[in-house]
Amino acid sequence: MDLATLTERIPNRKAKEIYELICRQTTVSKTELLEQSGMTVSTLTRLLDELTGQGLILESGFGASTGGRRPILYEKNPHYAYIFGLEISRTRSKLVLVDLEMNMKDARHWLMTADMTPDALIRQIAEEAEHMLAANGLDKSMMLGIGIGAVGPVDRLSGAILEPSYFPAQGWRNVEICRMLSERLGLPAMLDNGANTAILGESWAQRAKSFKHLLYVHAGIGIRSSMISEGKLIYGAVDMEGAVGQMIIQTDGIVHRDAGGNYGALESYASLYAIEKAARSALKQGRSTLLAHAIDDPEQLTYNHVLEALKKNDPLVVEILTEAATYFGIGLANLLNILHPEKVILGGPLIAGNELFFQTATQVAIRKTYYYPAYQVVFSKGQLGEEALAIGAAVMVMNQLVKQ
C-alpha cells in the first residue's frame, strides 16, 4: 500500500493548513482561524466547507457571543478514520487501535521471548489486528494505516529494522517490517525508531502547551533519545536513537558489554543491565540485602527483584539505584548543556515506577546544568507513559494527512 494515498486525502495545500490548525486545538471558531491563517473570509469558508464535506472536521456548537451572532465552532472528527500503532521493543511489543484523537479503542501486547521471531510476531499482529477490527465494528476502508516504533537502528525510508541488539529471539536483522505488515494487513505502513515515535506521541499530547524544544530520553536495557525542535523531529545522517548510551562518562571506565562500545559509556553505568550487574556483584560479595532472601543464584537476579527490594527500602538497592541515577543525571546534564531543551520527558523501565531514580537523576542534572538558574528546564515522565511509543507511531501516520 502506498503512503501517497494518505497525503492525497486532503489534496489542497491550504486545506491541509486549516486542518492542521484545527487539529492543534480542541475547538476553534472561524474568526480565530482567520487570525491564525491570514486567509480571506471567502477562502476560509470554502476550505471549511470542503473539510466538513469530507468528514474530516465537525461543527461542534457555538462559541460565546461578543455582541453579534454566536460563532460556529469547529473540531477535528475523531471518527473520520482509525490507525494501528505498533511498538516493537526488546522486552515487549504492543499493538493499539486508536481514533484520530488518539483515544485507545483496543490494545494487545506480547512478551518478546526467545520464540518471538519476526515471522511469529508479524503473524500474531496480523491476526490480532483483524480481531480488533471485527470487535470494534470497523472495516479496513476506515483505517489510515499502521505506524511502527521499533528499537533502532532502523531505515525509516525503506521501512526496515536493521541490526538491533539484545533481542531474545533470532532473526531480528534487516527485517523489512513495513513491507511484511503491509502485505499481511493490506494497509500502508510507516516506521521510525521508538524514541522518535515516543516523542511524537508526547508532543501531540502536549500540543496546546507549545513547547518548541522537547527532548525525550528512554532508559531501559539501553539508553535511547530523540528531540523535537520547532515542531520538527531532528534526524542525523544515520539513525541515532541509541547513540546517547555511548556518551563517555569516564574515559578509562567500565568495558562496554559490546565489543564496539565505548569504555566508560553512560549505559554501562545507568541501564537495566548495569543495575542488574551491580546487584549480582553485591550478592556474590555477601553484602547484606533483602535480595539474598529473594533468590538463590545471583546470576538469576533481574531488575524486578531489585524493584521489589526497593519497595521495602533495602539499603543496598537504594545505594545501587542512587549511583546509577547519579550517572544518568550527569548524562542528562551533558545533553542539557548542548541542546538546551525547554522540556525533558523521561521514559522507560528505569523511570516508570521508580521515583528514586527519577528524582535523583533530575536533581543531579539541574545542579550540573550551565546557566542555571537563568536557564530553566521542565522534567516530566510524560502524559502517555508506557503507551507513548505505540501511540506516537499512530501520530506519525496521522501526520501524513497534512504532509505537503
Side-chain angles (χ1 to χ4, degrees):
M1 299 290 289
D2 192 350
L3 288 171
T5 59
L6 299 184
T7 60
E8 293 168 359
R9 286 202 178 203
I10 308 177
N12 187 311
R13 178 181 61 82
K14 289 187 177 181
K16 289 178 185 285
E17 293 175 11
I18 295 302
Y19 183 66
E20 187 171 17
L21 285 173
I22 293 171
C23 288
R24 289 178 187 169
Q25 299 160 88
T26 305
T27 58
V28 60
S29 69
K30 183 185 289 187
T31 301
E32 291 169 321
L33 289 171
L34 283 170
E35 294 173 354
Q36 295 168 13
S37 68
M39 295 179 186
T40 64
V41 174
S42 60
T43 298
L44 178 60
T45 300
R46 175 175 55 81
L47 295 174
L48 289 172
D49 287 344
E50 288 179 8
L51 292 170
T52 304
Q54 284 183 261
L56 283 153
I57 63 172
L58 301 170
E59 293 182 358
S60 59
F62 297 90
S65 173
T66 57
R69 287 190 300 175
R70 295 171 64 193
I72 297 173
L73 297 178
Y74 295 90
E75 67 180 5
K76 176 173 61 178
N77 179 6
H79 306 300
Y80 167 76
Y82 298 82
I83 310 170
F84 286 120
L86 175 63
E87 171 191 352
I88 299 178
S89 293
R90 297 178 178 103
T91 56
R92 71 163 194 173
S93 289
K94 184 167 192 174
L95 180 71
V96 300
L97 172 65
V98 298
D99 63 21
L100 292 191
E101 272 296 320
M102 299 299 126
N103 298 311
M104 197 179 302
K105 313 299 289 184
D106 219 330
R108 168 76 191 277
H109 76 272
W110 298 269
L111 295 178
M112 296 298 281
T113 64
D115 298 322
M116 199 62 82
T117 61
D119 287 340
L121 180 63
I122 288 168
R123 182 181 67 255
Q124 293 186 49
I125 289 169
E127 291 172 355
E128 185 60 31
E130 297 286 354
H131 174 75
M132 286 182 179
L133 292 177
N136 288 276
L138 299 176
D139 185 82
K140 278 191 181 176
S141 64
M142 302 179 70
M143 300 300 299
L144 286 187
I146 179 168
I148 308 157
V151 173
V154 303
D155 184 333
R156 60 191 178 90
L157 298 179
S158 69
I161 298 173
L162 300 178
E163 297 184 61
S165 302
Y166 318 126
F167 267 69
Q170 298 296 312
W172 288 96
R173 295 288 186 277
N174 302 314
V175 179
E176 295 179 337
I177 190 73
C178 282
R179 177 188 62 77
M180 297 166 76
L181 277 173
S182 187
E183 289 176 354
R184 290 293 297 263
L185 296 174
L187 296 171
M190 292 186 69
L191 172 70
D192 208 332
N193 70 56
N196 281 346
T197 64
I199 201 172
L200 277 177
E202 290 290 356
S203 178
W204 183 87
Q206 301 172 51
R207 62 196 180 282
K209 298 180 182 177
S210 300
F211 287 105
K212 291 184 177 180
H213 308 288
L214 282 174
L215 175 67
Y216 174 82
V217 183
H218 182 279
I221 291 177
I223 301 177
R224 304 147 70 183
S225 69
S226 58
M227 187 168 184
I228 283 179
S229 183
E230 299 289 350
K232 304 288 186 182
L233 271 168
I234 303 300
Y235 287 104
V238 296
D239 187 1
M240 56 188 185
E241 179 196 42
V244 67
Q246 291 296 324
M247 180 190 300
I248 298 170
I249 299 298
Q250 188 173 338
T251 55
D252 61 345
I254 297 173
V255 177
H256 197 275
R257 55 184 150 161
D258 291 337
N262 287 325
Y263 284 93
L266 176 60
E267 65 184 25
S268 294
Y269 297 85
S271 63
L272 294 181
Y273 167 82
I275 290 169
E276 289 172 349
K277 181 181 177 183
R280 289 168 186 159
S281 176
L283 279 176
K284 292 173 183 177
Q285 292 169 9
R287 295 281 301 274
S288 177
T289 172
L290 294 174
L291 294 173
H293 306 293
I295 195 165
D296 295 326
D297 181 3
E299 290 300 322
Q300 299 302 312
L301 180 140
T302 67
Y303 182 65
N304 285 334
H305 294 117
V306 174
L307 281 184
E308 287 302 313
L310 178 64
K311 291 176 183 176
K312 300 172 183 176
N313 206 34
D314 181 72
L316 175 66
V317 166
V318 170
E319 175 189 324
I320 290 171
L321 286 172
T322 300
E323 182 176 6
T326 299
Y327 279 113
F328 187 71
I330 292 169
L332 282 179
N334 289 337
L335 291 173
L336 296 179
N337 290 331
I338 295 169
L339 301 173
H340 292 100
E342 295 171 279
K343 184 169 186 175
V344 178
I345 301 167
L346 302 178
L350 282 182
I351 304 300
N354 190 342
E355 194 64 22
L356 171 66
F357 193 94
F358 178 82
Q359 293 296 337
T360 303
T362 53
Q363 288 168 14
V364 169
I366 289 170
R367 286 197 298 268
K368 295 186 177 297
T369 299
Y370 199 51
Y371 291 130
Y372 180 82
Y375 164 54
Q376 295 280 346
V377 63
V378 177
F379 287 101
S380 168
K381 293 183 181 181
Q383 293 180 215
L384 300 179
E386 293 299 297
E387 318 299 337
L389 274 74
I391 289 180
V395 171
M396 175 174 62
V397 174
M398 181 179 68
N399 287 346
Q400 294 300 298
L401 289 174
V402 296
K403 185 176 180 182
Q404 302 288 354

